[in-house]
Amino acid sequence: MRVVVVNVNTTGSVTEAIAASARAVAAPGTEIVGLTPRFGAESVEGNLESYLAAVGVADAVARYAASGERFDAVIQAGYGEHGREGLQEMLDVPVVDITEAAATTAMYLGHRYSVVTTLDRTVPLISDRLLLAGLDRRCASVRASGLAVLELEQDPDRAVAAIVEQARVAVEQDHAEVICLGCGGMAGLDATVRAETGVPVVDGVQAAVTVAESLVRLGLTTSTSRTYAAPRTKKITGFPLEMS
Amino acid sequence: MRVVVVNVNTTGSVTEAIAASARAVAAPGTEIVGLTPRFGAESVEGNLESYLAAVGVADAVARYAASGERFDAVIQAGYGEHGREGLQEMLDVPVVDITEAAATTAMYLGHRYSVVTTLDRTVPLISDRLLLAGLDRRCASVRASGLAVLELEQDPDRAVAAIVEQARVAVEQDHAEVICLGCGGMAGLDATVRAETGVPVVDGVQAAVTVAESLVRLGLTTSTSRTYAAPRTKKITGFPLEMS
Amino acid sequence: MRVVVVNVNTTGSVTEAIAASARAVAAPGTEIVGLTPRFGAESVEGNLESYLAAVGVADAVARYAASGERFDAVIQAGYGEHGREGLQEMLDVPVVDITEAAATTAMYLGHRYSVVTTLDRTVPLISDRLLLAGLDRRCASVRASGLAVLELEQDPDRAVAAIVEQARVAVEQDHAEVICLGCGGMAGLDATVRAETGVPVVDGVQAAVTVAESLVRLGLTTSTSRTYAAPRTKKITGFPLEMS
Amino acid sequence: MRVVVVNVNTTGSVTEAIAASARAVAAPGTEIVGLTPRFGAESVEGNLESYLAAVGVADAVARYAASGERFDAVIQAGYGEHGREGLQEMLDVPVVDITEAAATTAMYLGHRYSVVTTLDRTVPLISDRLLLAGLDRRCASVRASGLAVLELEQDPDRAVAAIVEQARVAVEQDHAEVICLGCGGMAGLDATVRAETGVPVVDGVQAAVTVAESLVRLGLTTSTSRTYAAPRTKKITGFPLEMS
Amino acid sequence: MRVVVVNVNTTGSVTEAIAASARAVAAPGTEIVGLTPRFGAESVEGNLESYLAAVGVADAVARYAASGERFDAVIQAGYGEHGREGLQEMLDVPVVDITEAAATTAMYLGHRYSVVTTLDRTVPLISDRLLLAGLDRRCASVRASGLAVLELEQDPDRAVAAIVEQARVAVEQDHAEVICLGCGGMAGLDATVRAETGVPVVDGVQAAVTVAESLVRLGLTTSTSRTYAAPRTKKITGFPLEMS
Amino acid sequence: MRVVVVNVNTTGSVTEAIAASARAVAAPGTEIVGLTPRFGAESVEGNLESYLAAVGVADAVARYAASGERFDAVIQAGYGEHGREGLQEMLDVPVVDITEAAATTAMYLGHRYSVVTTLDRTVPLISDRLLLAGLDRRCASVRASGLAVLELEQDPDRAVAAIVEQARVAVEQDHAEVICLGCGGMAGLDATVRAETGVPVVDGVQAAVTVAESLVRLGLTTSTSRTYAAPRTKKITGFPLEMS
């Protein structure tokens, strides 16, 4: 099967890292295709950027689909971002958000989980998405490492140290029993964080790959009975995006 | 003061109706400016269209601001739509969503309120926004009249009949004591619905005008301490929109 | 229009301060009338006093109405106090509680808000009222400055210092993005607290004035369909109060 | 021990019925004293009357205490009424509200319980008190029989029929497994309702007697550490009530 | 009446201590019978042991009933343990869990209560049972003393010191106004903890005795209408237990 | 990998059906081993039987492990049953409950899901497990078909008809967008129910197979930091079970 993994920012190197991480757990026979939006911010760290990302991601997927390529599932690889519901309406294949994939995976592993993310300003976005997804009650905390998305790439050692510190506080003070790495760009850091904290660490992208594969294997896709029915036929202006 | 009222769809006649409704309750000295997005759907009735609207609205306001016009507050005149948080980050004046304005107004008037909206498929969008806003617990129900947004304009009599019917069910079965008209395009129908049901009826656009004026008069604007801090300086591609 | 602002305690100087604060934001053409209960405690800092206040406030308003004076809305100017529902049954004009007005106003300004009040023992009263009002989920905390109601008047400098200290903790530890001043007697302190904390500060009395004016302007008043229907005709003993 | 059972309305025959019901389950050695407020409504069916009752009840108990009589516990025998918290501050013996006693008792008997009360307008008062008490989650419904408080006494047969009808709906539609009789004046109807519905029926007054006796026997009384600390010393005007 | 108090572990000395504690508050005429399971762990400090206890307790009660002895109520004397619902199906007399009895008793005494238990690993079990029982919202915290169940017996002084320390933190930081002793084996420690903290302290076993007596006196027993109906007739293998 | 699927009842034909269903979706290379408890009921339809099942399942898995067989994950194939937490403590491989697997899977497919189960009396058990798992908020309803577990096998046509009827009500009245088949014994009915209702239908056993495989592939297993730490070393009597 082919699983499309869409980055939420416009930075190609992040897409590559995400796709590599996805490939590392993909089942034999699963092809991972990474997409980078043409539209939006180089990193997504707030609501305005996240709304741009929602449209940038939808545009990237719509263009990929229009190119005649076939695919079996889509992963939205942004943590705490807007947009997943729109993709569900647009596509007839399953859509998996990494925030939710990390949470449902973590809930099989411990009584409560925490998320460690990047900047403090993104904490409420993640909390809001978990609330909407109905996956918040066993969330012990969402904690910020204080590092920006692009700093994760630039200084991985510092990133790990900051993430481990918050993960430890989550375990010791918030009684988290599992840690979710709360940023698509944290791919590959899970082993270190686990070694340092002693609790299971969930990478959202990798969790999402297994969820997407599972849905495909079960022959299940998004319900079209109500919320995620295909958009009604009507006049749309400017989408897919007209970009030079 | 000047209050900008942004429609969420691209249909100018809806913008005009919304602006007229806003003007009908604006205080002396309040100027209402209606904006219509260049981007998005002619009516917003689902998540994908709502995400397009989030960007279309942000674009319309950004362009208006870039034109040198000054304004004191912005009203997002879509019921149950995405996007308000992005505007809050982008602007240093208060932003008021009509879904929330209707709800907080209704909560001063009765123990529980219901929303009567357009199509059934938009019910979960409204419920989700009320949940996120923390205004859901006193919401008795969100009910659909079954009419599409643009049908409201085309056949006002049928619209009123369908809305009144659902409002009655909300009062009698769901124990709503107040009805919120759940669509920006329902402006002007409140008197009829009230006469038919005997309970207070809240129009979101009009409620939002008074909330916006109140915030301005109190000298209050969005907190920049965390969630709604201005976006960080970074490379953004394609926004404001490049449209021919 | 005429808006009646009822103090919850029997201390006239507090009524005057509240009324002055209300006047400072009232729209042109809005007359503010301050009422002081004849019955109850000189300051309200607990449940028994709050229940006395509920009756003292109802009595004051009933007598004012019986005197033939007309008014367009009533503000109950006690933070976290009982009684608002009774006024709603008794009157056919809107009734606004300052606890709720502060909360709904704050919710337009930030993701979460905190309340800073007087004595620790009043914290649960405020929490309970927010719970009942369905406005609790975005409340980050209710914090006590440790000062009694009447100390606010006697030693404003100390009051400001204690309130600022708790407001800072609310912002830094509880992640509040807006502060509500949780006592009718804190009128006038908002500018200082804002300057010291950098976040918006909401004064409940002033917020309530704008809510009351808004409801009147929108032509809305309390629903009589169920919870707040006028009391049934029956024998009442001792009310309005027989006081020498 | 002596347990004071305070009626919330001014109708002596209701007090007598309540006291008789209490005596029917009191342990050997427990004396039941019935008190009737001098102040308030002849029946309590709304918020204003309930706030009057809060003060009328406090006054009746304060006068009883001032008379030199000793007692070991107080039961507030109104369903869904305000006032219990004030009594807790005022007294150093346990205070038991019949709404809460019925609920905690019912929760030992079935997965979910319903309350059947008098008029529809009192349903939200009961719901609110259960919410505040943290006893709402296992409440399947609060249903109104449509009978006024004093009609219960005047036409017991019709009362039973109306209550049984709603109890049946609660069991069959709302999945209640236990019924609470939601009015102090329903004392004595439990056997009939049980026979007709086949589920356990809890009378709040009788349940409260056993709770009060239990607390006394366990040597427990209200915590004075925070919420229910005795009122601070201050000037109170008009309370206890000055009545001719 | 005869009340059976079933220990959840296989340690007879714990059963004796529990039964003695129960007898200390039992009403005149109430006989307390202590039962010790033949099956399970010597102390219950986790989920597996708790599930074993559920069956061990059911077996002990079934055997006692089969022996021809009559009894009026059963108390399951384990804090936070599984199994109460099974007993309710099996018996036609009331069943009282000490976790719930402590909570409902505490809720009559203060605005919020905390539980102080043994090992940290049992905290989530207690939280889960309070959640299921719908008694969690006024629970300020569940805190662990760090002592194992059997250490309570072996070193009572150290136990008291550790429990008092956590109770103090619960009162001062978590705003608990009442403390529940969260282990059947803590019987007899309540007076000391109360003296040291100044707040009411509830012993679950003793609270459960009064609840059980109350239910019996009120003539109430478990509803058989749905959740706790008697098991259907079917083939059961191995239960009651075949033990040598 | 080898995944052990444990039936919760003692009926071998049910185990075979469950295992066959599991095999139908297992990835190449995944071996499914079905286990049948020696202890407990021939069908599990209530709390007592469910507690017996918890021990019967733990016993079956413990014996299998003691036999020297190795396995990579365990699926508890009972819907709404007790026991999963005990297995998690006992094992160092992931444990997946089919109730939870169905729910997390359904939540990727629609805004709300419903469960259709067997007898009405098992509805509260399922609701309780979803509440504990923190997966209840997006559950629209749990509905009973009225058929006993073993009737599903005996009369599949009637079973399908009854399930389809409740599924339709769930979609039309409760606004479910996805249906979960709420019984391990409903394996194989999903295609028919989907064809009749038009919404995605999730079989818990099959969903659990993909979740278990995913966890194994991600190298994740239960956290041992707190709730699910291995049991402490202590004296256990009678477990694993002594059965003739």
Side-chain angles (χ1 to χ4, degrees):
Chain A
M1 76 182 76
R2 182 182 287 169
V3 176
V4 172
V5 181
V6 203
N7 185 8
V8 293
N9 64 42
T10 58
T11 303
S13 59
V14 171
T15 309
E16 284 165 30
I18 289 170
S21 175
R23 280 180 201 114
V25 296
T30 297
E31 179 194 359
I32 300 292
V33 173
L35 291 186
T36 308
R38 299 178 300 158
F39 174 83
E42 63 183 325
S43 66
V44 179
E45 294 162 330
N47 276 289
L48 180 59
E49 292 160 8
S50 186
Y51 280 122
L52 298 181
V55 170
V57 163
D59 173 71
V61 174
R63 286 172 60 91
Y64 185 74
S67 74
E69 297 285 356
R70 299 184 61 86
F71 48 94
D72 299 285
V74 170
I75 291 170
Q76 175 170 304
Y79 218 96
E81 306 312 348
H82 300 289
R84 182 257 302 155
E85 307 96 321
L87 294 178
Q88 288 181 292
E89 290 176 10
M90 198 170 80
L91 301 171
D92 55 10
V93 297
V95 178
V96 180
D97 178 279
I98 64 169
T99 323
E100 298 170 23
T104 63
T105 300
M107 288 161 77
Y108 285 106
L109 304 173
H111 196 264
R112 304 221 294 170
Y113 69 95
S114 284
V115 179
V116 180
T117 186
T118 54
L119 299 179
D120 185 54
R121 65 177 296 161
T122 68
V123 169
L125 279 92
I126 293 172
S127 300
D128 275 5
R129 294 305 291 186
L130 291 173
L131 175 68
L132 270 191
L135 298 172
D136 54 306
R137 203 170 60 235
R138 286 169 60 199
C139 180
S141 57
V142 182
R143 290 190 163 273
S145 67
L147 286 164
V149 172
L150 299 184
E151 288 178 292
L152 298 174
E153 244 183 18
Q154 291 153 8
D155 191 347
D157 288 352
R158 192 171 142 234
V160 165
I163 292 164
V164 164
E165 185 186 340
Q166 290 303 311
R168 277 196 184 124
V169 178
V171 171
E172 286 163 20
Q173 290 181 18
D174 309 333
H175 299 301
E177 305 182 10
V178 187
I179 297 295
C180 296
L181 296 181
C183 175
M186 289 180 183
L189 306 186
D190 50 335
T192 312
V193 179
R194 176 166 197 166
E196 296 284 333
T197 60
V199 300
V201 176
V202 179
D203 175 89
V205 173
Q206 296 196 332
V209 170
T210 66
V211 171
E213 289 177 341
S214 295
L215 296 174
V216 173
R217 192 130 53 84
L218 293 167
L220 293 168
T221 188
T222 307
S223 178
T224 58
S225 67
R226 194 189 202 201
T227 311
Y228 305 123
R232 306 175 78 214
T233 303
K234 63 180 66 166
K235 189 181 164 210
I236 304 283
T237 307
F239 184 82
L241 297 166
E242 304 159 14
M243 293 182 72
S244 49
Chain B
M1 75 181 79
R2 181 181 287 169
V3 176
V4 172
V5 180
V6 202
N7 185 8
V8 293
N9 64 42
T10 57
T11 303
S13 60
V14 171
T15 309
E16 284 164 30
I18 288 170
S21 176
R23 279 181 200 113
V25 297
T30 297
E31 179 193 0
I32 300 292
V33 173
L35 292 186
T36 308
R38 301 178 299 158
F39 174 84
E42 63 182 326
S43 66
V44 178
E45 295 161 329
N47 276 289
L48 181 60
E49 292 160 9
S50 186
Y51 280 122
L52 297 181
V55 170
V57 163
D59 173 71
V61 174
R63 286 171 59 90
Y64 184 73
S67 73
E69 298 286 354
R70 299 184 60 87
F71 48 95
D72 298 286
V74 170
I75 291 170
Q76 175 170 303
Y79 218 94
E81 306 313 346
H82 300 289
R84 183 258 300 156
E85 308 95 320
L87 294 178
Q88 287 182 293
E89 289 176 11
M90 197 171 81
L91 301 171
D92 55 9
V93 298
V95 177
V96 179
D97 178 280
I98 65 169
T99 324
E100 298 170 22
T104 63
T105 299
M107 287 161 78
Y108 287 106
L109 304 173
H111 196 263
R112 302 221 294 171
Y113 70 94
S114 283
V115 179
V116 181
T117 186
T118 54
L119 300 178
D120 186 53
R121 65 178 296 160
T122 67
V123 169
L125 279 91
I126 294 173
S127 300
D128 275 4
R129 293 307 289 185
L130 291 174
L131 175 68
L132 269 191
L135 298 172
D136 54 306
R137 205 172 57 237
R138 287 168 60 197
C139 180
S141 57
V142 182
R143 289 189 164 273
S145 65
L147 288 163
V149 172
L150 298 183
E151 289 178 292
L152 297 174
E153 244 183 16
Q154 292 153 6
D155 192 346
D157 288 351
R158 192 172 143 234
V160 165
I163 292 165
V164 164
E165 185 187 340
Q166 290 303 311
R168 276 195 185 124
V169 178
V171 170
E172 286 162 21
Q173 289 181 19
D174 309 334
H175 300 303
E177 305 182 9
V178 187
I179 297 295
C180 296
L181 296 181
C183 175
M186 288 180 183
L189 305 185
D190 50 336
T192 312
V193 180
R194 175 165 197 165
E196 297 285 332
T197 60
V199 301
V201 176
V202 179
D203 175 89
V205 172
Q206 296 195 330
V209 170
T210 66
V211 171
E213 289 177 342
S214 295
L215 297 175
V216 173
R217 191 128 55 82
L218 293 167
L220 292 167
T221 189
T222 307
S223 178
T224 57
S225 67
R226 194 188 199 203
T227 311
Y228 304 124
R232 304 175 79 214
T233 303
K234 63 180 66 166
K235 189 183 166 208
I236 304 283
T237 306
F239 184 84
L241 297 165
E242 303 159 13
M243 293 182 73
S244 49
Chain C
M1 75 183 76
R2 181 182 287 170
V3 176
V4 172
V5 181
V6 203
N7 184 9
V8 293
N9 65 42
T10 58
T11 304
S13 59
V14 170
T15 309
E16 285 165 29
I18 288 170
S21 176
R23 279 179 200 114
V25 297
T30 297
E31 179 193 0
I32 300 293
V33 173
L35 292 186
T36 308
R38 299 178 301 157
F39 174 84
E42 64 183 323
S43 65
V44 178
E45 294 162 331
N47 276 288
L48 180 60
E49 293 159 9
S50 186
Y51 280 121
L52 299 180
V55 171
V57 163
D59 172 71
V61 174
R63 286 170 60 90
Y64 184 74
S67 74
E69 298 285 356
R70 298 184 61 86
F71 48 94
D72 299 284
V74 169
I75 291 170
Q76 175 169 305
Y79 218 94
E81 306 311 347
H82 300 290
R84 182 258 301 156
E85 308 95 320
L87 294 178
Q88 287 181 293
E89 290 176 10
M90 198 171 81
L91 301 171
D92 55 9
V93 298
V95 178
V96 180
D97 178 279
I98 65 169
T99 323
E100 298 170 23
T104 64
T105 300
M107 287 161 77
Y108 286 106
L109 304 173
H111 196 264
R112 303 221 292 170
Y113 69 93
S114 283
V115 178
V116 180
T117 186
T118 55
L119 299 179
D120 185 55
R121 66 178 295 161
T122 68
V123 168
L125 279 91
I126 293 173
S127 300
D128 275 4
R129 295 305 290 185
L130 292 173
L131 175 68
L132 270 190
L135 298 172
D136 54 306
R137 204 172 58 235
R138 287 170 58 199
C139 180
S141 57
V142 182
R143 290 190 163 272
S145 66
L147 287 163
V149 172
L150 300 184
E151 287 178 294
L152 297 174
E153 242 183 19
Q154 291 152 8
D155 191 346
D157 288 352
R158 193 172 142 234
V160 165
I163 292 164
V164 165
E165 186 188 339
Q166 290 303 310
R168 277 197 184 124
V169 178
V171 171
E172 286 162 22
Q173 288 181 18
D174 308 333
H175 299 301
E177 304 182 11
V178 188
I179 297 295
C180 296
L181 296 181
C183 176
M186 288 180 183
L189 306 186
D190 50 335
T192 311
V193 179
R194 177 166 195 165
E196 296 285 332
T197 61
V199 301
V201 176
V202 179
D203 175 273
V205 172
Q206 296 195 331
V209 170
T210 65
V211 171
E213 289 177 342
S214 295
L215 296 175
V216 173
R217 191 129 55 83
L218 293 167
L220 293 167
T221 188
T222 307
S223 178
T224 58
S225 66
R226 193 188 202 202
T227 312
Y228 304 123
R232 306 175 78 215
T233 303
K234 64 180 66 168
K235 189 181 165 210
I236 304 283
T237 307
F239 184 83
L241 298 165
E242 304 159 12
M243 293 182 71
S244 49
Chain D
M1 76 182 77
R2 181 182 286 168
V3 176
V4 172
V5 181
V6 202
N7 185 7
V8 294
N9 64 43
T10 58
T11 303
S13 59
V14 171
T15 308
E16 284 165 28
I18 289 170
S21 176
R23 279 180 201 113
V25 296
T30 296
E31 179 194 0
I32 300 293
V33 173
L35 292 186
T36 309
R38 301 177 299 158
F39 174 84
E42 63 183 324
S43 65
V44 178
E45 294 162 330
N47 276 288
L48 181 60
E49 292 159 10
S50 186
Y51 280 122
L52 297 181
V55 170
V57 163
D59 173 71
V61 175
R63 286 171 60 90
Y64 185 73
S67 73
E69 298 286 354
R70 298 184 60 88
F71 49 94
D72 298 285
V74 170
I75 290 171
Q76 175 170 307
Y79 218 94
E81 307 311 346
H82 300 288
R84 183 258 300 155
E85 308 96 319
L87 294 178
Q88 287 181 293
E89 289 176 11
M90 198 171 81
L91 301 170
D92 55 10
V93 299
V95 177
V96 179
D97 178 280
I98 66 169
T99 323
E100 298 169 24
T104 63
T105 299
M107 288 160 77
Y108 286 106
L109 304 173
H111 196 263
R112 302 220 295 171
Y113 70 93
S114 283
V115 179
V116 180
T117 186
T118 55
L119 300 178
D120 186 54
R121 65 178 296 161
T122 68
V123 169
L125 279 91
I126 294 173
S127 299
D128 275 3
R129 294 306 288 186
L130 291 173
L131 175 68
L132 270 190
L135 299 171
D136 54 307
R137 206 174 55 236
R138 287 169 59 198
C139 181
S141 56
V142 182
R143 290 189 163 274
S145 66
L147 287 163
V149 172
L150 299 183
E151 288 177 293
L152 297 175
E153 243 183 18
Q154 292 153 9
D155 191 346
D157 287 351
R158 193 172 141 233
V160 165
I163 292 165
V164 164
E165 186 188 339
Q166 290 302 311
R168 277 197 184 123
V169 178
V171 171
E172 285 162 21
Q173 290 181 18
D174 308 334
H175 299 302
E177 305 181 10
V178 186
I179 297 295
C180 296
L181 296 181
C183 176
M186 288 180 184
L189 306 185
D190 51 336
T192 312
V193 180
R194 177 167 194 163
E196 296 285 332
T197 60
V199 301
V201 177
V202 179
D203 175 90
V205 172
Q206 296 195 331
V209 170
T210 66
V211 172
E213 289 176 343
S214 295
L215 296 175
V216 173
R217 191 130 54 82
L218 292 167
L220 292 168
T221 190
T222 308
S223 178
T224 57
S225 67
R226 195 188 199 202
T227 312
Y228 305 123
R232 304 175 79 213
T233 303
K234 64 180 65 165
K235 189 181 166 209
I236 305 283
T237 307
F239 184 84
L241 297 165
E242 304 159 12
M243 294 182 71
S244 50
Chain E
M1 75 182 77
R2 181 182 286 169
V3 176
V4 171
V5 181
V6 202
N7 185 8
V8 294
N9 65 42
T10 58
T11 303
S13 59
V14 170
T15 308
E16 284 164 30
I18 289 170
S21 176
R23 279 180 200 113
V25 297
T30 297
E31 179 194 358
I32 300 292
V33 173
L35 292 186
T36 308
R38 300 177 301 158
F39 174 84
E42 63 183 325
S43 65
V44 179
E45 294 161 331
N47 276 289
L48 181 60
E49 292 159 9
S50 186
Y51 280 121
L52 298 181
V55 171
V57 163
D59 173 71
V61 174
R63 287 170 60 91
Y64 185 74
S67 74
E69 299 285 356
R70 299 184 60 87
F71 49 93
D72 299 285
V74 170
I75 291 170
Q76 175 169 304
Y79 219 94
E81 305 312 345
H82 299 290
R84 182 258 302 156
E85 308 95 321
L87 294 178
Q88 287 181 292
E89 289 176 10
M90 197 170 81
L91 301 171
D92 55 10
V93 298
V95 178
V96 179
D97 178 280
I98 65 169
T99 323
E100 298 170 23
T104 62
T105 300
M107 287 161 77
Y108 286 106
L109 304 173
H111 196 263
R112 303 220 293 170
Y113 70 94
S114 283
V115 179
V116 181
T117 186
T118 54
L119 299 179
D120 186 54
R121 65 177 295 161
T122 68
V123 169
L125 279 92
I126 294 173
S127 300
D128 275 3
R129 295 304 290 185
L130 291 174
L131 175 68
L132 269 190
L135 299 172
D136 54 306
R137 204 172 57 237
R138 287 169 59 199
C139 181
S141 57
V142 182
R143 289 189 164 273
S145 66
L147 287 163
V149 172
L150 299 183
E151 287 177 294
L152 298 174
E153 243 182 17
Q154 291 153 8
D155 192 345
D157 288 352
R158 192 171 142 235
V160 165
I163 293 164
V164 164
E165 185 187 339
Q166 290 303 311
R168 276 196 184 125
V169 178
V171 171
E172 285 163 20
Q173 289 181 20
D174 308 333
H175 299 303
E177 304 182 10
V178 187
I179 298 295
C180 295
L181 296 181
C183 175
M186 288 179 183
L189 306 186
D190 51 335
T192 311
V193 179
R194 175 166 197 164
E196 296 285 332
T197 60
V199 301
V201 177
V202 179
D203 175 89
V205 173
Q206 297 196 330
V209 170
T210 66
V211 171
E213 289 176 342
S214 295
L215 296 174
V216 173
R217 192 130 54 81
L218 293 167
L220 293 167
T221 188
T222 307
S223 178
T224 58
S225 67
R226 193 189 202 202
T227 312
Y228 305 123
R232 305 175 78 215
T233 303
K234 64 180 65 165
K235 189 182 164 209
I236 304 283
T237 307
F239 184 84
L241 297 166
E242 303 159 12
M243 294 182 71
S244 49
Chain F
M1 76 183 78
R2 182 181 286 168
V3 176
V4 172
V5 181
V6 203
N7 184 9
V8 294
N9 64 42
T10 57
T11 303
S13 60
V14 171
T15 308
E16 283 163 30
I18 289 170
S21 176
R23 279 181 200 114
V25 297
T30 297
E31 179 194 359
I32 300 293
V33 174
L35 292 186
T36 308
R38 301 178 298 157
F39 174 84
E42 63 183 325
S43 65
V44 178
E45 295 162 330
N47 276 289
L48 181 60
E49 293 160 7
S50 186
Y51 281 122
L52 298 181
V55 171
V57 163
D59 173 71
V61 175
R63 286 171 60 91
Y64 185 73
S67 72
E69 298 285 356
R70 300 183 60 87
F71 48 95
D72 299 285
V74 170
I75 291 171
Q76 175 169 304
Y79 219 94
E81 306 312 345
H82 300 289
R84 183 257 302 155
E85 308 95 319
L87 294 178
Q88 287 182 292
E89 289 175 11
M90 198 171 81
L91 302 171
D92 55 9
V93 298
V95 177
V96 179
D97 178 281
I98 66 169
T99 324
E100 298 170 23
T104 63
T105 300
M107 287 161 78
Y108 286 106
L109 304 174
H111 196 263
R112 303 219 296 171
Y113 70 94
S114 283
V115 179
V116 181
T117 186
T118 54
L119 300 178
D120 185 54
R121 66 178 296 161
T122 67
V123 169
L125 278 91
I126 293 174
S127 300
D128 275 4
R129 293 306 290 185
L130 292 173
L131 175 68
L132 270 190
L135 298 172
D136 54 307
R137 204 172 57 237
R138 286 169 59 198
C139 180
S141 56
V142 182
R143 290 190 163 273
S145 66
L147 287 163
V149 172
L150 298 184
E151 288 177 293
L152 297 174
E153 244 182 19
Q154 292 154 7
D155 193 346
D157 289 350
R158 192 171 143 235
V160 165
I163 292 164
V164 164
E165 186 187 340
Q166 290 303 310
R168 277 197 185 123
V169 178
V171 171
E172 285 162 21
Q173 289 181 19
D174 308 333
H175 300 301
E177 305 181 9
V178 187
I179 297 295
C180 295
L181 296 181
C183 176
M186 290 179 183
L189 306 185
D190 49 337
T192 312
V193 180
R194 175 165 196 165
E196 297 285 332
T197 60
V199 301
V201 176
V202 179
D203 175 89
V205 172
Q206 296 195 330
V209 170
T210 66
V211 171
E213 289 177 341
S214 295
L215 296 175
V216 173
R217 191 129 53 84
L218 293 167
L220 292 167
T221 190
T222 307
S223 178
T224 57
S225 67
R226 194 189 200 202
T227 311
Y228 305 124
R232 304 174 80 214
T233 304
K234 63 181 66 166
K235 189 182 165 210
I236 304 282
T237 306
F239 184 84
L241 297 165
E242 303 160 12
M243 293 182 72
S244 49

